[in-house]
Amino acid sequence: MKKAETIFACQNCGHQSRKWLGKCPECGEWNSLVEERERALKKGSGRTGFKLREVAAIAYAEIESQDETRVSSGVTEFDRVLGGGIVPGTLVLIGGDPGIGKSTLMLQVADRLSVNSGAVLYISGEESERQIKLRGERLRIEAKNLFLLPETNLENIFQEVERLNPTAIIVDSIQTVFSAMIESAPGSVSQVREAAHQFLLLAKNRTIPIFLIGHITKDGSIAGPKSLEHIVDTVLYFEGERHHNHRIVRAVKNRFGAANEIGVFEMTGAGLVPVANPSQMFLQERPHNVAGSVVTACMEGTRPLLVEIQALVSETKYGTGRRMTQGVDQSRVALLMAMLEKRLGLQMLGDDVFVNIAGGLEVDEPAVDLGVVAAITSSFKNLPIDPHTTVFGEVGLTGEVRGTTQAVVRAREAQALGFKKIVMPGSNKAGLERLLGVTIVGVKSVEEALAELF
Ligand code: TYD
Ligand code: MG
């Protein structure tokens, strides 16, 4: 038997050190290292649900392709974020702020799975069976084959898995699960990692999907999902705020699909409902003929999405103007503004400039540059942009408009939503001449684009 070891683990990022440090060298967090002891395991003991077996390398050519075997979760938008359904044997982490809808979504998925594919085990360390039942009644689920297990001890959980033999497992939440093999407190990095690791082995050994729910914590008192990202196959995060009705689930990492794919849901009185046409939803409350508003086409994973960019340029009450952004990168906006000042002579030094993506969406791609530039200029000049026009394109430091990826897909989405004119990079125009009922204007520079818009 190995001697028990003492290590110090950062509760924020999971960095481990032999001695205590005031500041974590990995993530820079202060006072986040906590002493943790690992109880030595008897060699070869193995855990329940996971038996040691003989190992042998497998010839590549003999491995069956897995893509055909995806199972539908029964919730369209959830399938989409996962890359087209659930891959058996995957470990999926679902993170998000408390109260955003993680348990709601997973109970809905559990219900559909239990009806379609067999017994589903919902392990809940946070809520009692009755609380879950109450939520289920609200969601009006059938849950024919759904089993609830209010348990937090990993070894007990594995025993029940062995007995029930479920086709899918949901763990709500991973932070409440602890292993008796480890001495650290439940919720500490060692515990959470160990539990996740055991679930990974379980998922692979039984070829069933396992979903781990994890809370995002800022203070680092409980180990956050960040420390699990590299263990799991897929990481999904709930985005946006609770104040909006819609919820966005984004695949931050996916070993079996496109990263950055999003699923859009609406939170209703009866749970999360997939939104079939997100572009339409994001443009719903758009004001027409108001300065400072423009629609741009961005890509979220493999899906095009039309969103409204809003800008407000107003004289500052303080010495120098503030620059505030929501949903777009602040330094990117600062750079575009510097370009506007230098190339087009827009003097905004004495102005506060606010840029916002309507609907609480976050966009992170250079193709929105032209939209940001157009919105700021529109507000600065107090000239509205035609509501049936959309723009997209990357903008360089000299004011040139560069081509973007997936221009055809973006243009088609704009056409589908009834836009009449698209101002886009000239280099992307090829292949887009015949878009019915839409005028395509290819531009090479910001000057050209703005001349077209105003
Ligand atoms: P929940 O799934 O419990 O959040 P999490 O597990 O991420 O902490 O969601 C809780 C919120 O969702 C709560 O504010 C109420 C709301 N909600 C609805 O609006 N409709 C519903 O049908 C349900 C079940 C919850
Ligand atoms: Mg919950």
Side-chain angles (χ1 to χ4, degrees):
M1 230 165 109
K2 214 170 63 175
K3 216 182 121 226
E5 279 178 3
T6 300
I7 46 147
F8 294 88
C10 170
Q11 302 297 301
N12 188 45
C13 70
H15 176 81
Q16 293 189 342
S17 162
R18 288 262 164 224
K19 54 183 201 292
W20 189 85
L21 300 163
K23 183 185 179 186
C24 173
E26 187 77 27
C27 64
E29 190 76 14
W30 287 94
N31 256 335
S32 62
L33 267 71
V34 168
E35 180 177 344
E36 295 187 349
R37 282 166 67 91
E38 279 181 49
R39 191 179 291 170
L41 279 175
K42 252 190 266 149
K43 229 184 162 199
S45 63
R47 280 175 200 258
T48 27
F50 167 56
K51 295 186 184 64
L52 292 180
R53 45 180 187 169
E54 295 207 357
V55 292
I58 309 164
Y60 173 81
E62 281 166 25
I63 301 169
E64 287 170 50
S65 159
Q66 229 192 5
D67 218 43
E68 272 23 272
T69 59
R70 281 182 194 262
V71 188
S72 169
S73 67
V75 180
T76 52
E77 287 293 298
F78 192 64
D79 280 350
R80 176 190 275 274
V81 243
L82 290 174
I86 302 168
V87 178
T90 51
L91 186 63
V92 181
L93 175 70
I94 297 125
D97 294 332
I100 194 110
K102 299 180 295 297
S103 304
T104 304
L105 177 65
M106 289 326 292
L107 191 60
Q108 285 178 281
V109 169
D111 164 51
R112 293 288 96 212
L113 278 175
S114 74
V115 170
N116 297 332
S117 26
V120 173
L121 180 62
Y122 193 108
I123 299 157
S124 175
E126 302 209 330
E127 291 161 310
S128 68
E129 332 60 298
R130 258 184 248 116
Q131 280 174 299
I132 299 171
K133 176 99 189 193
L134 212 66
R135 178 183 288 125
E137 278 166 0
R138 218 174 145 186
L139 301 173
R140 283 184 226 109
I141 58 174
E142 287 175 61
K144 264 206 328 219
N145 236 332
L146 178 63
F147 295 86
L148 303 181
L149 179 65
E151 176 61 59
T152 52
N153 181 296
L154 193 64
E155 285 72 27
N156 290 347
I157 291 171
F158 273 51
Q159 221 162 41
E160 182 56 16
V161 170
E162 193 79 3
R163 199 191 61 80
L164 187 68
N165 197 13
T167 56
I169 299 175
I170 287 138
V171 183
D172 187 1
S173 65
I174 186 68
Q175 279 121 342
T176 59
V177 177
F178 73 96
S179 165
M181 306 279 175
I182 292 182
E183 269 178 25
S184 322
S188 64
V189 172
S190 311
Q191 282 287 7
V192 168
R193 274 202 188 166
E194 168 69 9
H197 200 77
Q198 292 302 327
F199 280 117
L200 179 73
L201 295 177
L202 188 70
K204 305 291 168 206
N205 279 335
R206 294 186 161 254
T207 350
I208 56 169
I210 300 184
F211 301 92
L212 308 177
I213 293 177
H215 295 293
I216 292 177
T217 48
K218 296 210 170 61
D219 60 340
S221 58
I222 304 175
K226 279 264 175 272
S227 59
L228 297 179
E229 280 182 356
H230 61 280
I231 300 178
V232 302
D233 295 312
T234 304
V235 181
L236 309 179
Y237 279 125
F238 269 88
E239 258 178 24
E241 302 152 42
R242 264 187 293 167
H243 316 297
H244 291 120
N245 264 345
H246 63 266
R247 299 279 187 278
I248 294 162
V249 181
R250 186 184 296 271
V252 176
K253 161 187 171 178
N254 195 352
R255 286 187 182 144
F256 304 105
N260 251 338
E261 199 72 74
I262 61 166
V264 186
F265 299 90
E266 193 178 339
M267 184 59 103
T268 68
L272 289 158
V273 180
V275 174
N277 193 336
S279 291
Q280 199 169 31
M281 188 194 73
F282 283 114
L283 297 183
Q284 229 164 33
E285 290 168 80
R286 176 166 65 111
H288 281 220
N289 292 313
V290 176
S293 157
V294 69
V295 174
T296 190
C298 53
M299 293 297 297
E300 295 291 350
T302 57
R303 165 155 68 186
L305 201 59
L306 296 187
V307 292
E308 181 200 354
I309 301 181
Q310 299 184 329
L312 183 66
V313 181
S314 69
E315 206 177 312
T316 183
K317 304 280 181 298
Y318 314 97
T320 33
R322 288 179 297 167
R323 279 89 181 87
M324 310 260 274
T325 65
Q326 225 171 54
V328 275
D329 183 29
Q330 184 149 7
S331 50
R332 187 84 200 162
V333 172
L335 187 143
L336 292 170
M337 285 177 56
M339 187 278 303
L340 277 177
E341 290 186 2
K342 178 96 179 170
R343 303 275 153 203
L344 290 123
L346 264 60
Q347 288 308 321
M348 291 179 282
L349 197 64
D351 290 322
D352 288 335
V353 179
F354 305 94
V355 180
N356 175 27
I357 304 287
L361 196 78
E362 296 210 357
V363 290
D364 172 32
E365 59 160 356
V368 299
D369 288 355
L370 198 54
V372 170
V373 166
I376 291 175
T377 313
S378 166
S379 180
F380 181 82
K381 297 192 172 184
N382 213 9
L383 287 172
I385 294 168
D386 170 40
H388 299 293
T389 299
T390 178
V391 300
F392 67 86
E394 182 179 343
V395 174
L397 285 185
T398 62
E400 83 275 18
V401 175
R402 295 159 173 255
T404 66
T405 56
Q406 310 274 5
V408 179
V409 181
R410 294 174 208 257
R412 289 251 160 81
E413 179 77 358
Q415 181 197 28
L417 279 145
F419 282 86
K420 297 280 173 264
K421 185 153 99 179
I422 306 175
V423 179
M424 58 183 274
S427 57
N428 281 142
K429 219 185 143 187
L432 268 172
E433 278 82 13
R434 281 170 287 111
L435 211 56
L436 213 64
V438 185
T439 316
I440 306 275
V441 184
V443 293
K444 283 198 189 63
S445 66
V446 170
E447 283 98 328
E448 259 182 74
L450 295 180
E452 186 60 41
L453 290 171
F454 304 108

